[in-house]
Amino acid sequence: MSTPQRGKLVVGNWKMNGSAAANATLLAALIAGWRARPDRDVALCVPYPYLAQARDALGGSPIAWGAQDVSEYASGAYTGQVSAAMLAEFGCRYVLVGHSERRHGCGETDAIVAAKAAAALGAGLTPVVCVGETLAERDAGQWQEAVTRQVDAVVQRLGADCARTVLAYEPVWAIGTGRTATPQQAQDVHAHLRLRLRGAAAAGVPILYGGSVKAANAGALFAQADVDGGLVGGASLDAAEFLAIAGA
Ligand code: PGA
């Protein structure tokens, strides 16, 4: 059953895509096509070099913006890293932390992800904490252990501050593969995550689903009681598709 009293949040994750020219076209189409709705929040997480462009284009619009990663450290000798305070200076509202492409491609541990979420909160940003099992874990019937370990690390580190985060369930096997979790599979995991969050009095945090979300499947996913929106990769690069998902 859907919960119409709770709005949906739809976050686009551009990943490492775009160019100044292509972004300008995409941002203009999104601004022209999106009208503010009380039951919807929309945001775009863009590559660092385009944060100023996103700020300049989206400032004053109903679309928020953010980044795709943040350092766990405040400042210092961390070549190549970007602090939460720097992101705040560019008007970011959100930052993704613990995306599977960083957990699995860049060796980010549960502890690092939790530290990044804490750093984001410390600068007034909302971390979108990504969790999700691999195909091997799903096939072995171990999704519950995998996502529990990931979410518990964040709950342990943040405690009651968990209530100020957003969680995103992204099964690794569904990211960029065209293979989406069924609405029921998503609901089962989301309900489990909400139970884990209850311990930190954070059962009300939005829990987004991510992994091959498209206009064609967004409505069925968002209709699930514990699916509070979506984290959208590939489809967020297509204005018409992303607008249709945001309105689903
Ligand atoms: P996808 O990516 O929508 O292209 O599957 C989602 C994500 O990785 O956030």
Coordinates of all heavy atoms in Angstrom, one line a residue, residues 9-15 43 45 96-97 99 128-131 167-170 175 207-213 222 229-234 236 242 245:
L9 N 11.3 11.4 -2.9 CA 12.5 12.1 -3.2 C 13.2 11.4 -4.4 O 13.3 10.2 -4.3 CB 13.5 12.1 -2.0 CG 15.0 12.5 -2.3 CD1 15.0 14.0 -2.8 CD2 15.8 12.4 -1.0
V10 N 13.5 12.1 -5.5 CA 14.1 11.5 -6.7 C 15.4 12.2 -6.9 O 15.5 13.4 -7.1 CB 13.2 11.6 -7.9 CG1 13.9 11.0 -9.1 CG2 11.9 10.8 -7.7
V11 N 16.5 11.4 -6.8 CA 17.9 11.9 -6.9 C 18.5 11.4 -8.2 O 18.6 10.2 -8.4 CB 18.7 11.6 -5.7 CG1 20.1 12.1 -5.8 CG2 18.1 12.1 -4.4
G12 N 19.0 12.2 -9.1 CA 19.7 11.8 -10.2 C 21.2 11.7 -9.9 O 21.8 12.5 -9.2
N13 N 21.8 10.6 -10.3 CA 23.3 10.4 -10.1 C 23.9 10.4 -11.5 O 23.8 9.3 -12.2 CB 23.5 9.1 -9.4 CG 24.9 8.7 -9.3 OD1 25.8 9.5 -9.6 ND2 25.2 7.4 -8.9
W14 N 24.5 11.5 -11.9 CA 25.1 11.6 -13.2 C 26.3 10.7 -13.4 O 26.8 10.4 -14.5 CB 25.5 13.0 -13.5 CG 24.3 13.9 -13.9 CD1 23.0 13.6 -13.8 CD2 24.4 15.3 -14.3 NE1 22.3 14.7 -14.2 CE2 23.1 15.8 -14.5 CE3 25.5 16.2 -14.5 CZ2 22.9 17.1 -14.9 CZ3 25.3 17.5 -14.9 CH2 23.9 17.9 -15.1
K15 N 26.9 10.2 -12.3 CA 28.2 9.5 -12.3 C 29.2 10.3 -13.1 O 29.2 11.5 -13.1 CB 27.9 8.1 -12.9 CG 26.8 7.3 -12.2 CD 26.8 5.9 -12.5 CE 25.6 5.2 -11.7 NZ 25.6 3.8 -11.8
A43 N 16.6 16.2 -6.9 CA 18.0 16.6 -6.8 C 18.8 15.9 -7.8 O 18.5 14.9 -8.3 CB 18.5 16.4 -5.4
C45 N 22.9 14.8 -8.5 CA 24.3 14.7 -7.9 C 25.3 14.6 -9.1 O 25.2 13.7 -9.9 CB 24.4 13.5 -7.0 SG 23.5 13.7 -5.5
L96 N 26.1 11.8 -2.1 CA 26.0 10.4 -2.0 C 27.2 9.9 -1.2 O 28.3 10.4 -1.4 CB 26.1 9.8 -3.4 CG 25.1 10.3 -4.5 CD1 25.4 9.5 -5.8 CD2 23.7 10.1 -4.0
V97 N 27.0 8.9 -0.4 CA 28.2 8.2 0.3 C 28.0 6.7 0.2 O 26.8 6.2 0.3 CB 28.4 8.7 1.7 CG1 28.7 10.2 1.8 CG2 27.3 8.3 2.6
H99 N 28.3 4.7 -2.4 CA 27.8 4.1 -3.6 C 28.6 2.8 -3.9 O 29.8 2.8 -3.6 CB 27.9 5.1 -4.8 CG 27.2 4.6 -6.0 ND1 27.7 3.6 -6.8 CD2 26.0 4.9 -6.5 CE1 26.8 3.4 -7.8 NE2 25.8 4.2 -7.6
V128 N 23.3 10.8 1.4 CA 22.4 9.7 0.8 C 23.3 8.5 0.9 O 24.2 8.3 0.1 CB 22.0 10.0 -0.6 CG1 21.1 8.9 -1.2 CG2 21.2 11.4 -0.7
V129 N 23.1 7.7 1.9 CA 23.9 6.5 2.2 C 23.4 5.3 1.4 O 22.3 4.9 1.6 CB 23.9 6.2 3.7 CG1 24.8 5.0 4.0 CG2 24.2 7.4 4.6
C130 N 24.3 4.8 0.6 CA 23.9 3.7 -0.3 C 24.3 2.4 0.3 O 25.4 2.2 0.8 CB 24.6 3.9 -1.7 SG 24.3 5.5 -2.5
V131 N 23.4 1.4 0.2 CA 23.7 0.1 0.7 C 23.1 -0.9 -0.4 O 22.3 -0.5 -1.2 CB 23.0 -0.2 2.1 CG1 23.5 0.7 3.1 CG2 21.5 -0.2 2.0
L167 N 18.6 7.1 3.1 CA 19.2 5.8 2.8 C 18.8 5.5 1.3 O 17.7 5.8 0.9 CB 18.6 4.8 3.7 CG 19.5 3.6 4.1 CD1 20.8 4.0 4.7 CD2 18.8 2.7 5.1
A168 N 19.7 4.8 0.6 CA 19.3 4.3 -0.7 C 19.7 2.8 -0.8 O 20.9 2.5 -0.6 CB 20.1 5.1 -1.8
Y169 N 18.7 2.0 -1.1 CA 19.0 0.6 -1.4 C 19.3 0.4 -2.8 O 18.4 0.7 -3.7 CB 17.8 -0.2 -0.9 CG 17.9 -1.7 -1.4 CD1 19.0 -2.4 -1.1 CD2 16.9 -2.3 -2.2 CE1 19.2 -3.7 -1.6 CE2 17.0 -3.6 -2.7 CZ 18.2 -4.3 -2.4 OH 18.3 -5.6 -2.8
E170 N 20.5 0.0 -3.1 CA 20.9 -0.2 -4.5 C 21.5 -1.6 -4.6 O 22.7 -1.8 -4.4 CB 21.9 0.8 -5.0 CG 21.3 2.2 -5.0 CD 22.0 3.1 -6.0 OE1 23.3 3.2 -6.0 OE2 21.3 3.7 -6.8
I175 N 22.4 -2.4 -10.8 CA 23.0 -1.1 -11.2 C 23.5 -1.1 -12.6 O 24.5 -1.9 -12.9 CB 24.0 -0.6 -10.2 CG1 23.4 -0.4 -8.8 CG2 24.7 0.7 -10.7 CD1 24.3 0.0 -7.7
I207 N 13.8 6.2 2.3 CA 14.6 5.1 1.8 C 14.4 5.0 0.3 O 13.2 4.6 -0.1 CB 14.3 3.7 2.5 CG1 14.5 3.9 4.0 CG2 15.2 2.6 2.0 CD1 14.1 2.6 4.8
L208 N 15.4 5.3 -0.5 CA 15.2 5.4 -1.9 C 15.6 4.0 -2.5 O 16.5 3.3 -2.0 CB 16.2 6.4 -2.5 CG 16.1 7.8 -1.9 CD1 17.0 8.8 -2.7 CD2 14.7 8.4 -1.8
Y209 N 15.0 3.7 -3.7 CA 15.5 2.5 -4.4 C 16.3 3.0 -5.6 O 16.0 3.9 -6.3 CB 14.3 1.7 -4.9 CG 14.8 0.6 -5.9 CD1 15.4 -0.6 -5.4 CD2 14.8 0.8 -7.2 CE1 15.9 -1.5 -6.3 CE2 15.3 -0.1 -8.1 CZ 15.9 -1.2 -7.6 OH 16.5 -2.1 -8.5
G210 N 17.4 2.3 -5.9 CA 18.2 2.6 -7.1 C 18.7 1.3 -7.7 O 18.9 0.2 -7.1
G211 N 18.8 1.3 -9.1 CA 19.2 0.2 -9.8 C 18.3 0.0 -11.0 O 17.2 -0.5 -10.9
S212 N 18.7 0.6 -12.2 CA 17.9 0.5 -13.4 C 16.5 1.1 -13.3 O 15.6 0.5 -13.8 CB 17.9 -0.9 -13.9 OG 19.3 -1.3 -14.2
V213 N 16.3 2.1 -12.5 CA 15.0 2.8 -12.4 C 14.8 3.5 -13.7 O 15.7 4.2 -14.3 CB 15.0 3.8 -11.3 CG1 13.6 4.6 -11.3 CG2 15.1 3.1 -9.9
F222 N 7.7 3.0 -6.7 CA 7.3 4.1 -5.8 C 6.0 3.8 -5.0 O 5.7 4.4 -4.0 CB 7.2 5.4 -6.5 CG 8.5 6.0 -7.1 CD1 8.6 7.2 -7.8 CD2 9.7 5.3 -6.9 CE1 9.7 7.6 -8.3 CE2 10.9 5.7 -7.4 CZ 10.9 6.9 -8.2
G229 N 11.2 6.9 -2.9 CA 11.7 7.6 -4.1 C 12.8 6.8 -4.7 O 12.9 5.5 -4.5
G230 N 13.6 7.4 -5.6 CA 14.6 6.7 -6.3 C 15.9 7.4 -6.4 O 16.0 8.6 -6.4
L231 N 17.0 6.6 -6.6 CA 18.3 7.1 -7.0 C 18.5 6.6 -8.4 O 18.6 5.4 -8.6 CB 19.3 6.6 -6.0 CG 20.8 7.0 -6.2 CD1 20.9 8.5 -6.3 CD2 21.7 6.5 -5.1
V232 N 18.6 7.5 -9.3 CA 18.5 7.2 -10.7 C 19.9 7.5 -11.4 O 20.3 8.7 -11.4 CB 17.4 8.1 -11.4 CG1 17.3 7.7 -12.8 CG2 16.1 7.9 -10.6
G233 N 20.5 6.5 -12.0 CA 21.8 6.7 -12.7 C 21.5 7.0 -14.2 O 21.2 8.2 -14.5
G234 N 21.6 6.0 -15.0 CA 21.6 6.2 -16.5 C 20.4 7.0 -16.9 O 20.6 7.9 -17.8
S236 N 19.0 9.4 -15.6 CA 19.0 10.8 -15.2 C 19.7 11.7 -16.2 O 19.7 12.9 -16.1 CB 19.6 11.0 -13.8 OG 21.0 10.7 -13.8
F242 N 14.0 11.3 -17.1 CA 14.2 11.7 -15.6 C 12.9 12.5 -15.1 O 12.5 12.2 -14.0 CB 15.4 12.5 -15.4 CG 15.7 12.8 -14.0 CD1 16.1 11.8 -13.1 CD2 15.7 14.1 -13.5 CE1 16.3 12.0 -11.8 CE2 15.9 14.4 -12.1 CZ 16.3 13.3 -11.3
I245 N 10.2 10.0 -14.4 CA 10.5 9.3 -13.2 C 10.2 10.2 -12.0 O 9.5 9.8 -11.0 CB 12.0 8.8 -13.1 CG1 12.3 7.8 -14.2 CG2 12.3 8.3 -11.7 CD1 13.7 7.5 -14.4

